[in-house]
Amino acid sequence: MELIPVFFGVDPSHVKRQSGNFAKAFAEHDKRPNKDAVESWRKAMATVGFISGWDSRNWNEESKLIEELVQDLSDRIFSAVSTSDTGEWIGMSTHMRSIYPLMSKDPNDVRMVGIWGMGGIGKTTIAKYIYKGFLSEFYGACLLENVKKEFKRHGPSHLREKILSEIFRKKDMNTWNKDSDVMKQRLQGKKVLLVLDDVDDIQQLEELAGSSDWFGPGSRIVITTRDRRVLDQHDVERIYEVKPLRTTQALQLFSKHAFKQPRPSEDYRELSLDVVEQLGGLPLAIQVVGGSLYRRELKFWEDKLDLLRNNGDNSAFKALKVSYEALDEIEKKIFLYVALCFNGVYMDRVRKVLDLCFVSSRRRVLPTRPSIVALMEKCMISLSKNKLLWVHDLLQDMAEEIICEGKDERPWKRLMLWDFEDINHVFSTNMGDEAIDVESIFLDMSEGNELSITPGIFKKMPNLKLLEFYTNSSVEESRTRMLDGLEYLPTLRYLHWDAYHLKSLPPQFCTSFLVELNLSHSSIQTVWSGSQQDLGNLRSLNLISCKHLNEFPDLSKATNLESLKLSNCDNLVEIPDSSLRQLNKLVHFKLSNCKNLKSLPNNINLKSLRSLHLNGCSSLEEFPFISETVEKLLLNETSIQQVPPSIERLTRLRDIHLSGCKRLMNLPECIKNLKFLNDLGLANCPNVISFPELGRSIRWLNLNKTGIQEVPLTIGDKSELRYLNMSGCDKLMTLPPTVKKLGQLKYLNLRGCVNVTESPNLAGGKTMKALDLHGTSITEKLVGSNSEEPPQCEVPVIRRFFMRNVREHIKKRKSNR
């Protein structure tokens, strides 16, 4: 419960100190015989006086005070999504009053709704609020953030896969054809909610939400953008323009960050109003500036306000610059790195790379976690729920301006380079003996530009720590040209070079500080030549789709390696024992589609291994003998015939996928002893004829196109089962009556089970989401499986009642004056 005092015609300091009229009143009460009661009243009044609330003296009109107070209470009480301490939903009810009619409840139409406004105005927050508030009304939903960046980096196929995975709640959709026609076919007839955040080009909408007929009746597609023209080009007629926060809302948001409470402290009330006025109701600027003022002395506030007042017309943008200048030197540099090099990257990955970029005067590594956390607290960086670091577009624009300031004509003197023209200028200009000061180069090669690199160019870059030449996943050919090879690479912390076209990295490359190496889609045959490399700091190695790689890299000294990816390496035949024995910190090991890999080394106990991916290793005939720590094991489309009884050693196993293993026989009975197993895939395994014995924890069970003839009565014991797919099991007979015990079952697929003649006796109710009986021999009507239509979302009636009565009260007060 939250107490919000209203000081009506009363000085809050009089309440707090019991002075003025309060002193006189308490003097009278002190004459009472019950001294303890009066003392408790004094303490209560003092407590109330210390709570920041509404002071009527700050309002010229009583009606205006009441209106703002009612709106504030409405925001707090009637939020469709519970508010949080961060105050991210402040002012949302104001937006929703205009957005609810645009969303409508008509179950027959498909609507596209645009959320349009300037950067930092709160479009993404509104999109998240809509998603959470309306989520339960739809068959499936997807919130796709940062469409502009993700589309450019990964391409439309990847994003379509992500949308379908979210909507259909399928963890692995990589076997689907992901062109737009298939997406349209799968979504037609489905009532879905799709939120596309930060769209800046009509092509993105055409590829991800082509037209209304892609979606089933009642579907809603919400699009946020800075560019109104994009919405007009896509014929989006229902558009909400996001306006700045009103003063009271802006003050509340500011207080959440500057004071960690809903209202400003009394001594800072006037200053807070002045600061908020300068920021123009822009939520991003309010949060950033508020965070920078938290626990600062009064003089600091006054200086900050002077800076804001002198910023002129572009005060919001320059307010962000003021907050940047208040950071210490390490925080400034880390902010620039995250904004321009690691935006949208997992926090742990960023931290491990940057930890080796900052050293003290005594050459000791300075941990960057405290500075990253400080930047989050100051709202310069945000952390998503899946631990990705994000920097807002406006802050990213500011970071670019800071890097380029005063160095427009001399890009080699900048800290970072990301623009092709600047990088090409640096690589092609003869600067004699002048050093190149650049510390990081991040270049997107997807747009067709080709960069020529001379053998010794990197010798002029002694400070270079981060180097990335990347493309999106649809581009596999090299866009960098090294006609005379490459002699040297500096002591890098991070190297990501997609489609690197030489046969190995240069022999003059010191790897002792290297944290992450990514050479996906490269032409390398061996990673490095020459003497054994010092890989003590290496945490991640990515060699995906290196088709010519014929030698597994020597990793005997990579004792801190956590992630190893070698999927789609067609020429990889064997893995030496010596390369894996020391990898006691390896967590993720991916070897999918290494078609010539026949086996893994035996008795390699990788103490930290959690996931092993061997999908598509078609030459693999034996079940791998692996660490007992493994939780996820993917063996789809391998040539494995038997799962050995020793699988019960894997006591932590949660997921095992064996779909497409045409030679696989029935699973051993001991698999039921895996008490944490919740996902089993045996699709397209025709030699599996017995329903697998499983523990009670199983949730996802995919048995389509197996030779299973019957489902045992014990199926009813699987109380956690949510998904059962037995489509295409043409030998399957009717399901047992115990299937009714599956109270958590949401999806049941019996499509094509021609010998199933009786309707499954399901628990029904609201848990069932999808039931497919197409192609069975069932003729009678299914009973008890229809779920109730979920309630539609609408503005609460009580809110309208509350507001109407307040307006009537105001009218009466005015008429009596």
Side-chain angles (χ1 to χ4, degrees):
M1 181 180 293
E2 185 178 1
L3 178 65
I4 307 169
V6 180
F7 300 101
F8 193 84
V10 175
D11 188 334
S13 65
H14 291 175
V15 180
K16 181 165 55 180
R17 302 185 183 94
Q18 277 104 62
S19 57
N21 290 335
F22 274 77
K24 296 176 183 177
F26 272 111
E28 291 296 319
H29 285 302
D30 283 336
K31 298 175 183 178
R32 291 173 175 244
N34 192 344
K35 300 287 186 182
D36 291 340
V38 176
E39 185 60 29
S40 67
W41 298 347
R42 285 185 182 276
K43 290 180 180 178
M45 287 296 103
T47 300
V48 169
F50 275 101
I51 299 174
S52 181
W54 294 78
D55 187 349
S56 66
R57 298 175 303 163
N58 294 330
W59 304 89
N60 295 326
E61 295 183 26
E62 178 186 325
S63 61
K64 188 66 175 174
L65 167 62
I66 295 173
E67 185 179 346
E68 294 285 1
L69 175 58
V70 167
Q71 183 60 57
D72 179 59
L73 294 174
S74 177
D75 287 349
R76 294 166 188 264
I77 295 171
F78 298 113
S79 175
V81 184
S82 61
T83 58
S84 65
D85 289 339
T86 62
E88 63 176 326
W89 304 131
I90 288 172
M92 205 54 59
S93 63
T94 302
H95 298 304
M96 288 304 109
R97 276 195 294 276
S98 298
I99 292 174
Y100 275 130
L102 301 180
M103 296 289 286
S104 176
K105 294 189 297 179
D106 189 335
N108 298 315
D109 69 347
V110 175
R111 289 197 175 187
M112 294 193 181
V113 177
I115 309 295
W116 166 56
M118 65 178 290
I121 198 71
K123 299 184 298 297
T124 298
T125 303
I126 293 171
K128 290 179 179 178
Y129 189 91
I130 292 172
Y131 179 79
K132 292 183 179 182
F134 284 86
L135 181 64
S136 62
E137 297 183 37
F138 295 86
Y139 166 84
C142 175
L143 169 61
L144 196 62
E145 296 185 64
N146 298 288
V147 171
K148 176 175 65 177
K149 292 187 178 71
E150 295 291 302
F151 192 93
K152 184 176 181 180
R153 183 146 198 178
H154 299 292
S157 293
H158 171 82
L159 297 188
R160 281 194 289 266
E161 177 186 350
K162 195 170 182 179
I163 290 170
L164 293 173
S165 297
E166 288 287 326
I167 287 176
F168 289 96
R169 303 173 184 87
K170 295 271 285 184
K171 292 181 286 185
D172 186 5
M173 307 292 281
N174 58 11
T175 59
W176 288 15
N177 183 348
K178 292 161 286 197
D179 64 31
S180 57
D181 287 340
V182 171
M183 181 175 173
K184 175 181 175 180
Q185 291 168 12
R186 289 193 175 274
L187 293 181
Q188 276 183 336
K190 300 289 191 298
K191 180 184 176 183
V192 301
L193 172 63
L194 176 60
V195 179
L196 301 175
D197 177 51
D198 196 15
V199 172
D200 75 336
D201 191 279
I202 184 61
Q203 184 188 358
Q204 295 157 14
L205 292 181
E206 290 172 346
E207 295 280 5
L208 303 178
S211 63
S212 296
D213 62 6
W214 282 29
F215 308 93
S219 293
R220 296 292 180 263
I221 298 85
V222 179
I223 304 154
T224 78
T225 183
R226 294 188 193 183
D227 189 350
R228 170 70 185 251
R229 178 63 180 161
V230 172
L231 299 175
D232 292 339
Q233 285 178 303
H234 204 59
D235 295 323
V236 179
E237 297 178 355
R238 299 172 180 87
I239 299 173
Y240 173 65
E241 181 183 358
V242 185
K243 300 290 187 181
L245 293 174
R246 299 197 318 269
T247 300
T248 51
Q249 296 166 342
L251 188 62
Q252 188 179 352
L253 180 61
F254 176 78
S255 298
K256 284 283 186 180
H257 293 276
F259 302 100
K260 311 298 184 189
Q261 61 187 35
R263 296 279 175 258
S265 298
E266 181 184 350
D267 294 341
Y268 290 82
R269 185 173 290 131
E270 292 300 323
L271 272 172
S272 296
L273 284 168
D274 288 343
V275 171
V276 164
E277 183 181 347
Q278 293 298 320
L279 298 177
L282 195 67
L284 176 66
I286 291 168
Q287 292 177 58
V288 171
V289 174
S292 71
L293 292 171
Y294 179 59
R295 288 192 173 179
R296 298 286 193 178
E297 64 276 8
L298 197 63
K299 180 59 179 171
F300 187 94
W301 277 62
E302 292 169 347
D303 290 344
K304 175 81 82 167
L305 181 57
D306 286 341
L307 288 171
L308 292 175
R309 282 172 173 161
N310 293 326
N311 277 334
D313 295 335
N314 197 15
S315 59
F317 185 82
K318 291 181 179 178
L320 304 178
K321 184 75 174 289
V322 169
S323 296
Y324 168 81
E325 295 296 344
L327 303 175
D328 65 35
E329 292 306 310
I330 291 180
E331 289 173 348
K332 285 180 181 178
K333 204 166 185 180
I334 290 174
F335 166 74
L336 294 174
Y337 270 121
V338 174
L340 299 176
C341 303
F342 295 113
N343 200 3
V345 179
Y346 286 103
M347 178 177 174
D348 279 349
R349 280 183 58 196
V350 176
R351 181 179 54 77
K352 287 166 185 174
V353 173
L354 294 184
D355 276 354
L356 294 179
C357 292
F358 296 90
V359 294
S360 68
S361 56
R362 298 181 181 180
R363 307 303 297 169
R364 292 179 180 174
V365 171
L366 295 175
T368 54
R369 186 192 298 273
S371 296
I372 294 175
V373 171
L375 288 167
M376 288 192 288
E377 291 172 344
K378 295 170 182 175
C379 297
M380 301 293 285
I381 295 174
S382 62
L383 185 68
S384 71
K385 63 181 179 181
N386 51 352
K387 306 301 182 184
L388 300 175
L389 293 178
W390 288 106
V391 174
H392 193 279
D393 285 355
L394 275 184
L395 289 167
Q396 195 172 32
D397 292 343
M398 180 191 73
E400 291 183 3
E401 184 181 273
I402 290 168
I403 292 294
C404 297
E405 191 173 12
K407 299 167 187 171
D408 289 338
E409 304 301 322
R410 298 187 303 158
W412 57 89
K413 290 298 181 183
R414 298 177 194 164
L415 180 71
M416 302 169 189
L417 294 175
W418 60 88
D419 179 74
F420 175 80
E421 295 300 330
D422 291 331
I423 294 171
N424 189 50
H425 179 59
V426 170
F427 275 58
S428 60
T429 302
N430 184 1
M431 291 174 288
D433 295 331
E434 188 173 2
I436 299 172
D437 294 341
V438 176
E439 287 191 9
S440 68
I441 297 174
F442 277 60
L443 180 60
D444 183 357
M445 304 295 292
S446 305
E447 298 179 358
N449 295 317
E450 291 190 355
L451 184 68
S452 295
I453 299 174
T454 55
I457 184 64
F458 290 109
K459 290 183 177 179
K460 295 183 177 181
M461 303 182 186
N463 298 324
L464 192 66
K465 297 179 175 67
L466 313 176
L467 176 62
E468 179 169 8
F469 296 124
Y470 65 93
T471 66
N472 65 40
S473 55
S474 64
V475 179
E476 297 187 8
E477 73 272 12
S478 177
R479 296 278 173 79
T480 53
R481 294 286 173 258
M482 296 174 283
L483 299 179
D484 299 317
L486 190 64
E487 297 174 356
Y488 171 87
L489 279 173
T491 307
L492 298 171
R493 278 66 170 165
Y494 174 88
L495 174 59
H496 180 172
W497 197 325
D498 286 337
Y500 175 85
H501 77 272
L502 299 181
K503 294 181 179 180
S504 71
L505 291 170
Q508 293 188 59
F509 176 30
C510 177
T511 59
S512 57
F513 288 94
L514 191 65
V515 176
E516 187 167 330
L517 175 61
N518 185 338
L519 297 174
S520 62
H521 299 95
S522 294
S523 301
I524 56 168
Q525 296 177 7
T526 182
V527 182
W528 33 67
S529 57
S531 58
Q532 197 176 51
Q533 299 293 317
D534 178 3
L535 301 171
N537 282 305
L538 189 65
R539 300 298 198 278
S540 175
L541 176 59
N542 184 345
L543 301 175
I544 287 176
S545 294
C546 291
K547 305 290 187 181
H548 304 286
L549 183 70
N550 53 35
E551 181 182 337
F552 193 87
D554 183 355
L555 299 173
S556 57
K557 290 191 175 182
T559 54
N560 288 302
L561 192 68
E562 298 170 359
S563 175
L564 178 56
K565 301 177 183 178
L566 294 110
S567 299
N568 301 305
C569 293
D570 293 347
N571 281 344
L572 195 63
V573 176
E574 63 177 353
I575 300 175
D577 291 11
S578 58
S579 285
L580 294 182
R581 287 193 183 279
Q582 305 303 318
L583 305 185
N584 287 322
K585 293 186 179 180
L586 188 66
V587 177
H588 305 291
F589 192 9
K590 296 186 178 182
L591 290 158
S592 297
N593 298 312
C594 293
K595 300 184 184 303
N596 290 305
L597 183 67
K598 295 184 177 180
S599 64
L600 267 67
N602 286 326
N603 301 316
I604 300 297
N605 186 20
L606 304 176
K607 297 178 181 179
S608 300
L609 191 64
R610 295 290 180 270
S611 67
L612 176 61
H613 294 208
L614 292 163
N615 285 341
C617 293
S618 52
S619 298
L620 188 69
E621 297 181 352
E622 294 185 5
F623 193 88
F625 188 87
I626 52 175
S627 311
E628 298 177 8
T629 57
V630 167
E631 297 175 0
K632 185 172 186 176
L633 181 57
L634 305 186
L635 295 162
N636 295 332
E637 298 180 6
T638 59
S639 296
I640 291 172
Q641 297 183 55
Q642 298 285 344
V643 173
S646 60
I647 192 173
E648 66 177 327
R649 296 171 40 254
L650 309 181
T651 55
R652 300 183 186 179
L653 194 62
R654 295 179 179 273
D655 299 4
I656 179 168
H657 294 182
L658 291 153
S659 296
C661 296
K662 304 293 186 181
R663 304 171 66 187
L664 182 69
M665 309 302 287
N666 292 329
L667 300 187
E669 187 176 334
C670 65
I671 200 167
K672 66 184 178 182
N673 297 328
L674 300 177
K675 62 180 181 179
F676 294 115
L677 185 65
N678 63 45
D679 188 341
L680 173 62
L682 292 171
N684 296 297
C685 296
N687 292 319
V688 173
I689 60 175
S690 295
F691 196 93
E693 287 284 339
L694 299 167
R696 293 175 177 269
S697 61
I698 193 72
R699 293 187 175 188
W700 293 76
L701 186 53
N702 195 352
L703 303 171
N704 62 301
K705 294 186 178 179
T706 58
I708 293 173
Q709 298 180 35
E710 64 176 353
V711 176
L713 289 169
T714 54
I715 187 68
D717 299 334
K718 312 300 182 283
S719 58
E720 295 295 315
L721 190 64
R722 287 158 168 74
Y723 176 92
L724 177 58
N725 185 354
M726 299 195 72
S727 62
C729 294
D730 51 16
K731 297 180 182 179
L732 178 68
M733 308 303 286
T734 300
L735 270 62
T738 51
V739 75
K740 188 174 183 179
K741 294 182 180 180
L742 302 177
Q744 298 296 318
L745 190 65
K746 296 179 184 292
Y747 307 93
L748 176 60
N749 191 343
L750 297 175
R751 175 180 284 253
C753 296
V754 294
N755 288 313
V756 173
T757 59
E758 297 180 13
S759 300
N761 188 8
L762 301 174
K766 293 186 177 181
T767 60
M768 284 300 297
K769 296 288 186 182
L771 174 63
D772 192 343
L773 301 176
H774 182 79
T776 64
S777 297
I778 298 171
T779 57
E780 73 269 26
K781 183 180 179 182
L782 187 68
V783 178
S785 64
N786 292 326
S787 60
E788 297 179 9
E789 187 71 21
Q792 300 293 316
C793 183
E794 62 178 338
V795 180
V797 175
I798 191 170
R799 181 191 294 182
R800 296 197 296 269
F801 172 82
F802 188 38
M803 292 299 293
R804 185 174 67 248
N805 279 271
V806 168
R807 290 192 183 99
E808 289 176 359
H809 167 76
I810 293 172
K811 286 180 180 178
K812 287 180 181 178
R813 291 294 299 268
K814 285 183 177 179
S815 62
N816 291 334
R817 287 179 180 174

